[in-house]
Amino acid sequence: MTDNEALTEDQVGDQVAGLLLAAGGGRRLGGRPKALLEHRGHPLVEHAVGALRAAGCARVHVVLGARAEDVRARAALDDCVLVDNPGWEQGMGSSLRAGLRSLTGTGARAALVCLVDQPGIGAEAMARVCAAYRDETSLVSAAYAGVRGHPVLLGAAHWAGIAATATGDRGARAYLREHEAEIAHVECGDVARPYDIDTEADLVHLE
């Protein structure tokens, strides 16, 4: 496929899997798992899964860690593949590795990676990033006033390299820095707000 050949929405939905990282324990929130924080009447993990579905992802994998059993019991995630990350306390890198590993062999050719603690990033921004997908070599990132942020789309050709460098809380950051010239940036600042829910002060963003 050439850069000028656009995939249909159905093709993108079949080839791009949603990968939601939702394992964090909310250490700076008094140990409240971010996945279970309430936003618009639902846990954040439900909100994020709904956005990924609305963006067109037919397959959604959710990486759980802190209080995983509580998340399973309280959140409606029936149509998702739930991935347990026993090493979640090691940081986001371990969750990204677990999530990418869970997608291997599923037929997914790319992963749209989202973070559970960014409810200001919704389906419209996710869909824009997905629309820039071309094949398994794609690397795509949302941008906010030109600054790279989430979500990011990682083509399957890059998964092994990303897993090899995803340590601590860096996630794919090191790999993406090394491959900056290959990343397609998609401006999303007009449709999304890329704040994180990290501290008590950030809870004002929840509705």
Side-chain angles (χ1 to χ4, degrees), residues 38-124:
E38 291 283 321
H39 181 58
R40 299 178 181 172
H42 298 277
L44 276 184
V45 65
E46 269 187 42
H47 176 80
V49 165
L52 282 164
R53 295 285 191 205
C57 293
R59 178 191 293 111
V60 177
H61 286 214
V62 181
V63 181
L64 302 178
R67 288 174 52 189
E69 289 308 312
D70 287 344
V71 177
R72 289 173 183 268
R74 292 174 52 187
L77 303 172
D78 296 344
D79 294 331
C80 301
V81 175
L82 303 183
V83 181
D84 286 312
N85 175 21
W88 63 269
E89 290 182 283
Q90 298 171 17
M92 183 171 59
S94 67
S95 290
L96 180 58
R97 292 196 306 273
L100 293 177
R101 188 164 55 246
S102 75
L103 287 170
T104 301
T106 65
R109 300 182 71 197
L112 180 67
V113 181
C114 299
L115 308 181
V116 77
D117 65 347
Q118 293 189 319
I121 299 175
E124 192 166 358

Side-chain angles (χ1 to χ4, degrees), residues 7-19 46-60 111-114 121-133 151-153 188 191:
L7 293 164
T8 67
E9 288 185 12
D10 285 345
Q11 286 175 313
V12 171
D14 289 339
Q15 296 182 32
V16 178
L19 178 55
E46 269 187 42
H47 176 80
V49 165
L52 282 164
R53 295 285 191 205
C57 293
R59 178 191 293 111
V60 177
L112 180 67
V113 181
C114 299
I121 299 175
E124 192 166 358
M126 295 176 190
R128 282 189 187 180
V129 174
C130 277
Y133 162 77
V152 293
L153 184 144
C188 294
V191 296

Side-chain angles (χ1 to χ4, degrees), residues 25-37:
R27 179 175 51 85
R28 288 183 285 172
L29 288 166
R32 283 180 287 173
K34 295 180 180 182
L36 290 175
L37 294 175

